[in-house]
């Protein structure tokens, strides 16, 4: 389907389907048979440390790179062979805003307006004003945050069915990051666009994502609904004497403290551990960032 | 199309300052005549020349720089992803950017011309270019210029990808480039050497002097192939490689060399075919020289689909056996540069050594020889060299020495060793036609005949023939005689085998002259009389009357008749050869054009003429200017020789006797 239809039935297959996606750079395996499906009108966050393979996956997703093996389907079509036609319905925010540096945001918008069937020129002006981005300043002279905001403005102006955001808040300050996510939330509330986002801003992602996937060294180690994920991950604090009971829960991270043991478990089961009143551990919920750190083993970059 | 136009327009707008710079440069040519020290005779011409040169250079420089950067720089700086994140095809990105580069380069050239054009009309490039290449019209020059710009843009784009990707494929590219360039260079060099660079030739000059030569067409084809291959490779680099420069480089190299290498092999195949014509390929026979004995002839002419190339052949009229020889290209408008030994067993000719691609007029030529008796023999170099095309050359009857008139010198060398035996200056070397002959041991005679000048052809004019003799031992060239005849056509001078007598034919008379002094010995006939020397020195004179033809055998000393043979009712009688001192073979043909040829054996001692079998002869068109017949008669060849002004015939060896 080429034309955007706000009331179109949900694609049962999903706007993004990756099957066995494999990318190699010489001997190095960047993506190892990754398969995932992004449901329609969902916000799908792909997380991973630097070098985990996110950028390679996004390049394949946008048809910029041909994978060594596997298939990429975007909006139900082969993205390698039908990229140009598909991208009429896809908005893209790249990791590094790569617009021509001599052109102003307004000139770039004018250029893009000739390429998309549903270009919202007024929306572009409104967003640039809202972001306080000077529309006539050459793109190369804008700040990093402003460049990201221009990229997001252009991505949203085509009224896309699918939005692909490759770390859109990378290098932005807190205010700019907040502006980006608020704009996204507004867009989602207005149109229900499907969003595929990679980001290191886990707090921001946690606010908007319906589903989370984690890449580790080219392998997809997690692909789950956000609510379910946060429900099954818990931090447990208890005296050392309870260690045998902890091992039964297969903890993903364990730390020794002066007062006992602190652990993160992936499959919390209150019935098996008992409540603190019953002599069980103290239990607390985890943020997405804490879950990510527990899964990848080290602190995420901010 | 919408994507292409969007990118094209964006590139033009982004680089609009280039147009301003070109316009500013265009203000220079109008100011050049005002500078001190500039010639003041023709300021308009000076302005035009500077403007044209500047426009040409600037457009080519812009094409080079823009072609090598509009895509590659975006790739290297990771900005091409901007386009690939939009609904734009790779083809639109490639075409839009490179088309803009070409238009910017062309536009810059035109803008440089603009101020000069406003001052004094549009500069006309056709005159100056026409003098050096071919006379091109303005639209043709514009087409060549635009084609060159496209070529530069496409090639510089490919080169930019190759050299900036830092991929190991660079080594493949360099190797393939070396091989392909070597093949193409060698082919073009060989084709130029063999005459592909000469315009198509008619019998007496270029057939169409304004047209491109075959070599120029091939050079255009090579440039077009490079343009198409680099364009296809560049497009593939963007379409397949997309934002990955190294992957794009690999795609580019695969397309580029899989197109250019086979194309270069096609050129190599064509060159091989070009180099190996057969007599059957001749579409225009320009010259035929008969061996004084035996059944070999030398012929050269224009071959089919080979441009102005004029391959030469040594050809056995009986067996059809032939050997290619490089004398054809040299025999452009002079007497033949091929000769036979008196016994007809060896042929000698001059040709350029292989690999010498300089103009054939300035080449160092080498004398080659071929043993005609030995089947499978190949031409042998003799180590006798001459600088440039000679006026004439001759082989001594025993085949040991060669005499060459070239430039201002007459030179004699020993063929076996290449040793120089004599070299003397000629007092008046500038004669279009010269004849050399060994007149005795250690003596060479030089006959120089005034050139035939076409404007005088309709009027009677004096034509001179001077005779000089070289005494090799003394190293002295002495004038021994002069002749002057008033004629409306070329003099024809036929020398006896021993060079002691000559037959001078003007438009009105056939005279027997002394070979050394040119003194008149006897007048043998009037208009229409034809004569030649037999191998034993006698004269065969053909006369026609209403009743038929007579063949008279004359003594060369005084021109006295020895024998007369009558052929009643027959108009054409041609002396073929003299298989024995007492016998002469001739062929005749009845009045009807399609009548069969008849062989005769004439016995000089008894006067008997014995008829032999009817013959199938290959008859070349008038003056040999026509195609070599596909269906050849195997008994011999007959043709008209313009230099001796008579029909000649060569019969195959072993014809059944009478």
């Amino acid at each position: 389907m080429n034309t955007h239809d706000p009331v179109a039935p949900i694609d049962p297959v999903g706007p993004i389907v990756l099957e066995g996606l494999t990318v190699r750079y010489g001997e190095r395996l960047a993506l190892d048979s990754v398969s995932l499906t992004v449901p329609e009108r969902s916000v799908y966050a792909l997380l991973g440390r630097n070098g985990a393979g996110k950028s390679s996956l996004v390049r394949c997703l946008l048809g910029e790179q041909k994978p060594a093996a596997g298939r990429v389907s975007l909006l139900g079509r082969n993205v390698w062979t039908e990229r140009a036609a598909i991208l009429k319905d896809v908005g893209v925010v790249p990791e590094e805003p790569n617009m021509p540096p001599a052109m102003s945001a307004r000139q770039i918008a004018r250029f893009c307006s000739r390429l998309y069937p549903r270009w919202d020129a007024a929306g572009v002006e409104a967003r640039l004003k809202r972001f306080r981005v000077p529309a006539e300043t050459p793109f190369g002279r804008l700040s990093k945050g402003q460049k990201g905001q221009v990229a997001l403005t252009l991505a949203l102006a085509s009224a896309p069915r699918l939005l692909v955001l490759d770390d859109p808040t990378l290098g932005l300050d807190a205010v700019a990051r907040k502006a980006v996510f608020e704009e996204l939330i507004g867009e989602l509330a207005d149109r229900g666009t499907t969003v595929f986002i990679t980001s290191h801003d886990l707090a921001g992602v946690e606010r908007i994502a319906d589903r989370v996937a984690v890449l580790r060294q080219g392998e997809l180690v997690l692909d789950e609904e956000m609510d379910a994920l946060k429900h099954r991950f818990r931090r447990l604090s208890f005296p050392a004497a309870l260690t045998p009971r902890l091992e039964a829960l297969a903890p993903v991270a364990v730390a020794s403290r002066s007062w006992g043991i602190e652990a993160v478990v992936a499959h919390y089961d209150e019935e098996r551990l008992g409540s603190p009143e019953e002599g069980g551990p103290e239990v607390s919920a985890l943020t997405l960032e804490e879950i990510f750190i527990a899964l990848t083993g080290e602190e995420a970059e901010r | 199309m919408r994507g292409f136009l969007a990118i094209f327009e964006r590139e033009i707008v982004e680089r609009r300052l280039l147009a301003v710079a070109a316009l500013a440069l265009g203000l220079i040519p109008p100011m050049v005549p005002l500078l001190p020290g500039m010639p003041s005779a023709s300021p308009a011409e000076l302005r035009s020349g500077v403007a044209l040169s500047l426009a040409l250079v600037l457009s080519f420089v812009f094409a080079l720089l823009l072609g090598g950067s509009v895509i590659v720089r975006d790739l290297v700086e990771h900005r091409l992803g901007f386009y690939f994140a939009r609904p734009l095809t790779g083809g639109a990105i490639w075409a839009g950017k490179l088309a803009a580069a070409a238009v910017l380069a062309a536009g810059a050239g035109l803008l440089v011309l603009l101020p000069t054009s406003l001052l004094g009309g549009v500069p006309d490039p056709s005159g100056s270019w026409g003098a050096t290449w071919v006379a091109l019209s303005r639209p043709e020059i514009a087409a060549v210029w635009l084609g060159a710009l496209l070529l530069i843009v496409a090639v510089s784009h490919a080169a930019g990808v190759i050299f900036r990707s830092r991929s190991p494929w660079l080594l493949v590219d360099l190797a393939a480039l070396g091989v392909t360039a070597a093949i193409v260079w060698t082919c073009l060099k060989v084709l130029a050497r063999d005459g592909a660079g000469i315009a198509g030739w008619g019998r007496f000059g270029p057939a169409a002097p304004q047209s491109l030569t075959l070599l120029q067409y091939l050079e255009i084809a090579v440039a077009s192939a490079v343009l198409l291959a680099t364009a296809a490779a560049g497009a593939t680099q963007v379409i397949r490689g997309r934002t990955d420069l190294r992957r794009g480089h690999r795609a580019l190299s695969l397309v580029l060399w899989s197109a250019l290498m086979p194309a270069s092999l096609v050129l190599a195949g064509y060159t091989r075919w070009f180099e190996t014509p057969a007599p059957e390929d001749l579409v225009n026979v320009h010259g035929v020289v008969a061996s004084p004995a035996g059944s070999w002839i030398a012929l050269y002419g224009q071959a089919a689909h080979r441009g102005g190339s004029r391959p030469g052949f040594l050809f056995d009229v009986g067996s059809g056996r032939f050997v290619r020889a490089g004398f054809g290209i040299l025999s452009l408008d002079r007497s033949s540069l091929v000769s036979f030994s008196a016994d007809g067993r060896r042929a000698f000719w001059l040709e350029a050594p292989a690999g010498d691609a300089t103009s054939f007029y300035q080449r160092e030529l080498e004398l080659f020889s071929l043993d005609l008796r030995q089947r499978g023999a190949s031409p042998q170099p003799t180590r006798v060299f001459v600088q440039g095309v000679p006026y004439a050359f001759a082989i001594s009857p025993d085949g040991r020495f060669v005499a060459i008139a070239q430039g201002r010198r007459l030179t004699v060398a020993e063929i076996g060793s290449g040793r120089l035996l004599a070299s003397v200056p000629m007092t008046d070397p500038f004669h279009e036609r010269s004849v050399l002959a060994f007149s005795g041991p250690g003596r060479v005679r030089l006959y120089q005949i005034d050139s035939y000048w076409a404007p005088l052809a309709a009027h009677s004019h004096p034509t001179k023939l001077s005779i000089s003799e070289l005494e090799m031992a003394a190293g002295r060239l002495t004038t021994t005689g002069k002749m002057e005849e008033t004629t409306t056509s070329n003099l024809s001078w036929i020398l006896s085998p021993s060079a002691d007598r000559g037959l001078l034919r003007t438009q009105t008379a056939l005279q027997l002259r002394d070979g050394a002094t040119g003194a008149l010995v006897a007048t043998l006939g009037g208009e229409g009389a034809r004569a030649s020397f037999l191998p034993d020195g006698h004269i065969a004179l053909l006369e026609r009357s209403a009743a038929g033809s007579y063949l008279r055998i004359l003594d060369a000393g005084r021109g006295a008749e020895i024998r007369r043979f009558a052929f009643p009712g027959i108009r054409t009688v041609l002396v073929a050869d003299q298989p024995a001192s007492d016998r002469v073979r001739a062929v005749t043909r009845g009045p009807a054009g399609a009548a069969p040829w008849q062989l005769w054996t004439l016995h000089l001692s008894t006067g008997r003429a014995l008829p032999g079998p009817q013959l199938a002869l290959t008859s070349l068109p008038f003056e040999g200017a026509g195609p070599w017949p596909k269906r050849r008669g195997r008994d011999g060849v007959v043709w008209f020789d313009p230099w001796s002004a008579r029909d000649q015939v060569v019969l195959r060896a072993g014809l059944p006797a009478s």
Side-chain angles (χ1 to χ4, degrees):
Chain A
M1 185 186 295
N2 268 339
T3 54
H4 179 68
D5 181 359
V7 292
I10 291 176
D11 186 346
V13 179
I16 297 177
V17 178
L18 308 185
E19 289 178 1
L21 187 67
T22 302
V23 172
R24 293 177 189 280
Y25 299 108
E27 294 295 310
R28 190 169 74 83
L29 194 62
L31 287 175
D32 186 5
S33 193
V34 172
S35 297
L36 61 84
T37 299
V38 176
E40 181 102 43
R41 295 175 192 169
S42 69
V43 177
Y44 189 103
L46 180 69
L47 310 179
R49 298 191 60 208
N50 289 342
K54 299 191 299 297
S55 294
S56 295
L57 188 145
V58 171
R59 279 198 295 273
C60 292
L61 193 66
L62 295 176
E64 289 181 19
Q65 183 173 341
K66 192 173 187 180
R71 190 175 71 88
V72 181
S73 168
L74 218 60
L75 302 175
R77 299 161 80 170
N78 184 324
V79 75
W80 179 254
T81 56
E82 299 178 78
R83 184 189 56 79
I86 294 169
L87 289 184
K88 286 180 179 172
D89 292 310
V90 180
V92 180
V93 176
E95 183 176 0
E96 287 286 337
N98 51 8
M99 282 65 172
M103 293 174 77
S104 68
R106 190 164 284 148
Q107 287 172 326
I108 297 170
R110 198 174 302 130
F111 169 76
C112 292
S113 69
R114 299 173 64 176
L115 307 175
Y116 293 93
R118 302 174 303 277
W119 188 258
D120 179 11
V124 169
E125 291 294 331
R127 279 201 178 87
L128 290 177
K129 199 170 180 181
R130 197 155 59 239
F131 285 141
R132 295 182 184 172
V133 173
E136 295 297 343
T137 301
F139 185 79
R141 285 164 55 187
L142 296 177
S143 70
K144 192 157 191 177
Q146 288 172 323
K147 287 178 180 173
Q149 287 166 330
V150 170
L152 181 63
T153 298
L154 297 175
L156 295 175
S158 62
R161 288 176 58 195
L162 171 65
L163 203 51
V164 176
L165 310 166
D166 189 6
D167 216 344
T169 56
L170 181 69
L172 304 190
D173 60 30
V175 175
R177 283 205 303 269
K178 182 169 178 288
V180 167
F181 281 110
E182 282 183 354
E183 197 67 29
L184 278 176
I185 289 167
E187 171 75 10
L188 295 170
D190 289 346
R191 285 210 288 249
T193 306
T194 305
V195 178
F196 181 92
I197 182 169
T198 74
S199 180
H200 289 112
D201 183 356
L202 301 185
V205 166
E206 189 173 356
R207 291 170 60 197
I208 61 170
D210 302 320
R211 193 172 179 89
V212 179
V214 175
L215 268 179
R216 188 169 62 194
Q217 294 179 343
E219 285 187 60
L220 196 68
V221 296
L222 179 85
D223 183 3
E224 194 169 357
E225 294 288 336
M226 177 71 87
D227 290 342
L229 179 72
K230 292 180 73 173
H231 181 73
R232 67 184 176 88
F233 273 85
R234 286 288 185 274
R235 179 186 291 108
L236 308 178
S237 305
F238 45 84
L242 291 176
T243 302
R245 291 167 67 186
L246 175 64
E247 285 172 355
L249 292 175
V252 294
V254 179
S256 293
R257 309 291 186 202
S258 57
W259 42 263
I261 298 293
E262 188 176 79
V264 174
V265 295
H267 300 283
Y268 173 65
D269 185 347
E270 189 178 7
E271 291 182 3
R272 291 180 65 178
L273 287 171
S275 65
E277 293 75 25
E278 295 165 342
E282 286 187 17
V283 179
S284 58
L286 293 171
T287 64
L288 180 61
E289 181 171 327
E290 289 170 324
I291 294 170
F292 178 77
I293 292 170
L295 280 173
T296 56
E298 292 178 37
E299 240 181 277
E301 295 87 344
R302 290 174 185 275
Chain B
M1 194 62 185
R2 183 185 296 179
F4 164 79
L5 289 175
I7 292 173
F8 176 81
E9 183 186 313
R10 200 200 80 71
E11 292 291 328
I12 298 283
V13 169
E14 185 174 323
R15 292 174 170 82
R16 57 190 178 278
L17 285 179
L18 294 180
V20 178
L23 201 54
L25 279 173
L27 298 174
I28 293 176
M31 291 189 285
V32 168
L34 306 177
L35 296 176
M38 289 293 147
S40 58
S42 177
E45 199 170 310
L46 182 62
R47 274 198 305 268
S48 292
V50 173
L52 280 171
S53 304
L54 197 59
L56 199 66
V57 170
L58 190 74
S59 61
F60 285 168
V61 168
F62 275 12
L64 190 72
L65 296 179
L66 292 171
S69 66
V70 285
I71 291 175
V72 179
R73 193 171 165 198
D74 279 359
L75 269 169
V76 171
E77 296 176 359
H78 304 290
R79 284 206 303 270
L80 204 64
F82 167 70
Y83 300 98
F84 276 101
R86 318 281 151 208
L88 289 165
T89 63
I93 296 169
W94 169 82
K97 280 181 165 281
L98 289 194
V103 167
L104 281 165
L110 294 175
L111 284 172
V112 167
L113 295 179
L114 184 62
T116 304
S117 304
L118 292 175
L119 277 178
V122 179
D124 185 1
S126 54
S128 51
W129 288 19
T132 55
W133 201 38
V134 290
L136 296 178
S137 64
R138 280 190 189 181
E140 287 169 333
I141 290 173
V144 169
W145 174 59
L146 288 174
L149 288 181
L150 289 174
L151 180 65
I152 293 172
V153 166
V155 169
S156 60
H157 167 62
V161 171
I162 287 170
F163 287 106
R164 297 196 70 176
S165 78
R166 300 181 180 184
S167 156
W169 275 81
L170 173 65
L171 299 176
V172 176
D173 292 319
L174 292 178
L177 176 66
V179 171
T180 307
I183 291 173
V184 171
W185 175 255
T186 304
C187 289
L188 293 179
K189 198 173 171 186
V190 166
L191 289 164
R193 182 199 67 195
D194 289 351
I198 304 169
W201 283 79
R203 179 66 182 87
F204 294 110
Q210 301 298 317
S211 65
L212 296 176
T213 67
L214 175 66
L215 189 63
Q216 285 169 328
Y217 276 118
L218 287 171
E219 287 165 350
I220 290 171
V222 168
S224 302
V226 173
L227 171 60
L228 291 175
T230 48
T236 306
Q237 174 259 317
V238 177
I239 292 167
R240 304 290 296 178
R242 302 191 181 177
T243 57
D244 187 332
L245 183 53
R246 286 186 150 207
R247 195 180 295 264
H249 179 179
R250 182 173 174 272
L252 177 142
S253 297
L254 286 172
V255 172
L256 184 65
W257 301 119
S258 61
L260 283 185
M261 292 195 84
S264 67
L265 293 177
V266 168
L267 179 64
Y270 174 77
T271 304
R272 179 66 186 148
W273 175 83
F274 185 96
E275 277 190 303
T276 53
E280 286 76 15
D281 294 323
L282 292 176
V283 292
N284 222 338
V285 179
H286 291 175
V288 185
V289 178
S291 167
S295 57
W296 284 81
I297 61 171
L299 74 161
Y300 60 93
Q302 193 168 356
H305 311 299
R306 288 172 174 84
S309 165
R310 304 211 313 178
F313 305 94
L314 293 159
F315 182 78
D316 183 351
V317 300
S319 67
R321 181 184 154 214
F322 70 89
V323 176
R324 287 181 206 92
F327 53 77
I329 195 66
L330 305 170
S331 308
L332 289 176
D333 48 6
R334 302 184 181 175
S335 56
S336 171
L337 297 174
V338 60
S339 186
F340 295 88
S341 61
D343 59 6
R345 291 178 173 179
R346 292 178 72 194
F348 300 88
W349 68 94
L350 289 160
E351 72 171 66
D356 185 351
T358 54
S359 165
F360 48 80
Y361 280 119
Q362 286 109 45
R363 287 178 185 176
E364 182 180 62
L365 307 176
E366 186 171 7
L367 184 70
F368 281 74
S369 72
L370 179 69
D371 186 346
L372 300 173
R373 293 167 304 174
Q374 192 180 339
R375 182 170 286 275
S378 58
Q380 298 297 315
T382 64
R383 292 191 290 167
V384 174
F385 294 93
V386 57
Q387 193 68 39
V389 179
Y391 295 109
F393 93 114
I395 302 293
S396 64
D398 57 6
R400 289 180 56 206
F401 306 106
V402 59
I404 299 169
Q406 204 282 328
R408 294 175 176 272
R409 301 192 77 81
L410 173 60
T411 305
V412 182
E414 188 177 48
I415 291 174
S417 64
R419 188 162 58 95
L420 186 66
L421 300 177
S423 180
V424 296
M426 293 186 289
T427 51
D428 185 12
F430 300 109
H431 291 272
E432 196 61 29
R433 290 188 58 208
S434 300
V435 176
L436 273 173
F438 283 82
S439 49
R443 304 174 82 87
V444 174
R445 197 170 293 150
L446 172 65
Y447 301 88
Q448 294 173 295
I449 306 167
D450 273 353
S451 61
Y452 173 79
W453 193 39
L456 291 177
H459 310 284
S460 294
H461 63 284
T463 304
K464 295 174 184 171
L465 190 154
S466 65
I467 307 172
S468 315
E469 188 146 287
L470 169 66
E471 292 176 68
M472 289 163 54
R476 188 173 58 234
L477 185 65
T478 311
T479 300
T480 58
K482 283 186 184 295
M483 289 178 274
E484 181 169 332
E485 288 291 330
T486 300
T487 179
T488 58
S489 64
N490 260 338
L491 287 179
S492 163
W493 176 247
I494 302 172
L495 202 57
S496 70
S498 57
D500 59 345
R501 287 289 184 268
L503 292 166
L504 184 71
R505 184 174 175 275
T506 68
Q507 193 164 27
T508 56
L510 177 67
Q511 301 170 340
L512 179 63
R513 296 268 187 165
D514 183 82
T517 63
L520 180 66
V521 176
T523 297
L524 302 180
E527 186 181 0
R530 300 284 188 273
S532 62
F533 286 100
L534 295 172
D536 69 355
H538 286 112
I539 298 167
L541 174 66
L542 177 69
E543 290 178 328
R544 287 175 183 156
S545 69
S549 300
Y550 296 94
L551 182 64
R552 297 167 60 199
I553 306 299
L554 310 179
D555 164 49
R558 290 278 169 197
E561 182 175 301
I562 299 171
R563 191 64 68 187
R564 173 182 294 232
F565 298 92
F567 296 92
I570 289 179
R571 184 164 174 75
T572 304
V573 179
L574 305 180
V575 174
D577 53 16
Q578 190 173 19
S581 60
D582 183 40
R583 280 178 291 151
V584 169
R585 292 200 300 179
V587 293
T588 62
R589 198 176 204 182
W597 291 94
Q598 172 74 53
L599 177 67
W600 295 87
T601 302
L602 311 176
H603 290 260
L604 301 186
S605 56
T606 63
R608 292 175 63 196
L610 301 177
Q614 290 189 342
L615 302 179
L617 300 182
T618 299
S619 181
L620 291 178
F622 179 68
E623 293 189 353
W628 181 256
K630 295 289 180 193
R631 297 179 61 188
R632 292 187 302 107
R634 298 298 296 269
D635 293 328
V637 177
V638 58
W639 74 97
F640 177 78
D641 175 35
W643 301 118
S644 62
R646 67 188 179 95
D647 289 301
Q648 294 205 44
V649 62
V650 168
L651 301 178
R652 71 174 166 90
L655 273 175
S658 302

